[in-house]
Amino acid sequence: MRTPTVLISGAGIAGPALAYWLNAQGRQTTVVERFDELREDGQNIDVRGAGREVARRMGIEDAIRAASTGETGTEFVDATGAPLARFAAGTSDSDGATAELEILRGQLSRIIIDRTREDTEYLFGDRIVALDDTEDGVTVTFAHGPTRTFDLVVLAEGLRSRTRSLVFPEIDAVRELDFYIAYLTIPRTGDDTDLWRWHSAGRGRSVTLRPDNLGTIRATLAFLSDVRGLDALDHRALVTILRRTFADVGWEAPRVLAALDDAPLYFDAVGQARMPSWSKGRVALIGDAAHCSSPLSGMSTSLALTGAYILAGELAAHPHRTAFARYETLMRPYVDQAQKLPPGTPRILNPRSRAGLATMNTALRIVGSPAAARLGGLASKWFTPPADAIDLPTYPGRACYKPGERSRRTGRR
């Protein structure tokens, strides 16, 4: 019998995770990635709840723990750096603003890709420019490589996926949250700690510093704005906007602003993907392209891992149309819950007025107080996303496999 072929667009987390599970079925997987190489950068991400259980079933939980950022908790500070409230890292699969398993996004991607390289063809530096979906397969035109035909195509791209618009040109998938975040990596100093430190500065602005496992600090500058298109500006314009926006902010803001000239800068307009359907014909969506819940949710990684696991499991048991429908039926309630951000988000932790800032700081002191802890972990409830809100299926024959096993079964290299 001919080996079924699947093209996956996107080598972040969802794409390689899907390849992992499809390889275990004996499918022939190809991953195309528009960047020339695997990006080792990225900010801290959480592996929680169902996503963590999927990581266990993949056999990568220990590797994730070994690459942990070492973040020990979350601390809110005032303009002088004095603590307002401190919350320890979670001690279970799901709880806490800082999860028990914290890792840099690029390092998690590397862990999964390393376990798929022997059985997956990776095409870096290329992208899909056209799709012809027929009853017999999907003919894919690439920007650089030759045209090829696959049985299925799965888009595991980002929130603003270009390829998704080829499949669903009539749908405006992005729900904007009127919030921008600038991410950069800066040198670590002796005054830095292993806490995720967060300063809300009023006027809808915040500055955060987080540790990594590379001896540097991951910093963010975030602000509310309903102006569209700032993420399309060039580097010089973005630096000008950030310096003007945060010019009067205290704490570590001057240090972060000073690093803008030299540090690589990633600037993101925060939003969510709201798609009425995650498939059409032989093409399906997973990860952020399907259901981005935004970095504010703490759930994107868990959704990516869980969605990849479920989609592969359903494809193992059903023809693609049935599998796509069942995948969406199982995942949609989980996604809906993850996309329900706490009331007032992102404004609640980025208040515009002095009164709002004072109210937030008071609430943090109360929630983080020893008295609140004795009343049953109010802080844990406040900062814990719905990471367990799914009954994760167990699929037959889904035990984790070793790289190369599929190649040895099928004779393919």
Side-chain angles (χ1 to χ4, degrees):
M1 292 180 61
R2 184 178 64 85
T3 303
T5 58
V6 182
L7 173 68
I8 303 165
S9 182
I13 293 170
L18 178 64
Y20 175 95
W21 292 114
L22 293 178
N23 289 344
Q25 300 172 14
R27 294 178 186 258
Q28 183 177 331
T29 56
T30 298
V31 175
V32 60
E33 169 57 51
R34 65 188 179 94
F35 289 98
D36 291 336
E37 59 187 9
L38 175 62
R39 292 175 293 164
E40 298 280 9
D41 57 355
Q43 296 291 311
N44 309 50
I45 58 174
D46 314 328
V47 183
R48 299 176 181 267
R52 183 166 173 180
E53 176 57 28
V54 171
R56 287 195 188 103
R57 297 182 189 187
M58 294 174 74
I60 62 173
E61 184 181 24
D62 288 344
I64 295 172
R65 190 185 304 280
S68 170
T69 62
E71 188 171 290
T72 58
T74 306
E75 183 178 69
F76 291 87
V77 301
D78 64 17
T80 69
L84 297 169
R86 181 180 296 178
F87 307 101
T91 56
S92 71
D93 281 9
S94 303
D95 66 328
T98 291
E100 186 181 16
L101 291 186
E102 295 274 348
I103 186 172
L104 297 180
R105 183 183 184 278
Q107 292 183 7
L108 177 56
S109 180
R110 168 69 71 184
I111 287 170
I112 303 173
I113 287 176
D114 284 349
R115 284 158 175 78
T116 60
R117 281 193 184 276
E118 290 191 40
D119 292 326
T120 297
E121 175 189 21
Y122 280 90
L123 305 175
F124 285 96
D126 211 343
R127 58 186 174 86
I128 298 170
V129 296
L131 294 164
D132 183 13
D133 189 353
T134 71
E135 284 296 318
D136 299 321
V138 186
T139 300
V140 181
T141 303
F142 295 96
H144 306 295
T147 297
R148 296 168 60 178
T149 299
F150 299 85
D151 292 307
L152 300 174
V153 173
V154 180
L155 307 183
E157 300 178 359
L159 168 64
R160 302 176 196 279
S161 165
R162 296 184 182 95
T163 319
R164 181 183 60 207
S165 63
L166 298 176
V167 183
F168 301 93
E170 72 284 2
I171 297 175
D172 182 6
V174 180
R175 177 198 172 207
E176 303 289 355
L177 295 180
D178 298 337
F179 194 57
Y180 288 96
I181 305 179
Y183 300 90
L184 64 160
T185 303
I186 62 177
R188 181 163 181 147
T189 72
D191 293 330
D192 289 316
T193 73
D194 287 333
L195 293 165
W196 177 12
R197 293 188 292 164
W198 184 315
H199 171 54
S200 292
R203 289 169 45 199
R205 302 166 298 171
S206 62
V207 183
T208 72
L209 300 180
R210 304 187 76 170
D212 62 24
N213 62 336
L214 302 176
T216 52
I217 292 292
R218 307 285 158 151
T220 68
L221 300 168
F223 61 97
L224 294 167
S225 176
D226 58 5
V227 177
R228 298 284 185 264
L230 297 183
D231 51 321
L233 298 175
D234 62 24
H235 182 270
R236 179 178 295 181
L238 288 175
V239 169
T240 298
I241 288 172
L242 291 170
R243 285 184 168 151
R244 288 177 178 175
T245 301
F246 289 86
D248 64 333
V249 175
W251 189 50
E252 296 285 351
R255 169 188 169 196
V256 178
L257 293 174
L260 287 172
D261 289 329
D262 301 320
L265 174 65
Y266 175 71
F267 190 77
D268 186 30
V270 177
Q272 295 183 330
R274 299 296 184 97
M275 292 292 296
S277 175
W278 298 336
S279 66
K280 180 185 287 187
R282 290 178 172 270
V283 181
L285 308 175
I286 61 171
D288 282 355
H291 45 61
C292 176
S293 56
S294 87
L296 306 177
S297 71
M299 284 293 295
S300 289
T301 304
S302 293
L303 291 176
L305 291 171
T306 304
Y309 170 80
I310 290 176
L311 177 56
E314 295 302 323
L315 284 170
H318 305 283
H320 75 272
R321 293 185 187 278
T322 302
F324 288 170
R326 285 180 55 82
Y327 150 68
E328 185 163 344
T329 297
L330 290 167
M331 278 292 293
R332 181 72 74 170
Y334 187 38
V335 168
D336 289 346
Q337 189 70 27
Q339 289 187 330
K340 291 179 181 176
L341 301 175
T345 303
R347 290 166 178 77
I348 190 170
L349 291 178
N350 299 276
R352 292 185 183 275
S353 67
R354 289 183 179 179
L357 182 61
T359 299
M360 186 202 77
N361 289 344
T362 299
L364 285 170
R365 290 188 180 97
I366 293 172
V367 172
S369 68
R374 289 193 295 270
L375 290 174
L378 182 59
S380 178
K381 294 182 177 65
W382 195 12
F383 290 115
T384 298
D388 293 316
I390 187 172
D391 185 9
L392 194 65
T394 299
Y395 295 105
R398 307 296 289 161
C400 62
Y401 81 107
K402 296 181 177 63
E405 281 187 346
R406 191 203 61 189
S407 299
R408 290 190 288 273
R409 290 199 306 271
T410 64
R412 174 182 171 271
R413 280 287 179 190

